[in-house]
Amino acid sequence: MSTSPNCPFCRIVTGQIPAAVVLATDDALAFLDIGPLADGHTLLVPKSHYPTLGDMPPDALQRLTGHLPALTGAIMSVTGASGFNLLQNNGSAAGQVVDHVHFHIIPRTEGDGLGFRWNAGSYAPGRADALCQAIQAALRH
């Protein structure tokens, strides 16, 4: 397990910062967010330090996300939520504040007032095809 001394989530993993831990395994830790958007708002983090998803080995990401079904089910059961948002901000442009991979599990209920804006746009003619081909080519490399 590699950690970063200045990372707050690594400091939680190593016990230097207290947290309300709801799940601890050899490679993952889940704890209540200290600034919750809703009761039960939980963060799931790898115990090893990876700044972004692109830095994580695929097998480590699979082990981490493998905890989501049981964890989200338990959170929904305890909170009485009828749904949840799963949020992963990757990079500062996307709102990532702590440079350690983490997933937010945010329990949701009808009328909770949290809101979510999805300002959908559309592609100019030919742009979707061009993007699709470019992404497919990048995946081959």
Side-chain angles (χ1 to χ4, degrees), residues 31-109:
F31 50 91
L32 296 179
D33 193 305
I34 62 168
L37 297 177
D39 273 356
H41 180 168
T42 300
L43 301 178
L44 174 63
V45 306
K47 284 188 171 179
S48 289
H49 183 77
Y50 303 105
T52 66
L53 283 179
D55 299 315
M56 282 190 83
D59 61 320
L61 181 58
Q62 288 174 338
R63 286 192 306 274
L64 180 67
T65 58
H67 298 293
L68 287 170
L71 189 55
T72 57
I75 292 167
M76 289 182 61
S77 174
V78 168
T79 63
S82 54
F84 64 91
N85 288 116
L86 180 63
L87 180 64
Q88 199 283 321
N89 299 326
N90 202 65
S92 62
Q96 184 178 4
V97 176
V98 177
D99 290 333
H100 185 120
V101 169
H102 57 287
F103 289 87
H104 292 262
I105 302 162
I106 306 164
R108 300 296 303 269
T109 57

Side-chain angles (χ1 to χ4, degrees), residues 123-138:
Y123 288 113
R127 180 65 177 152
D129 288 338
L131 282 172
C132 184
Q133 290 172 10
I135 292 168
Q136 289 171 345

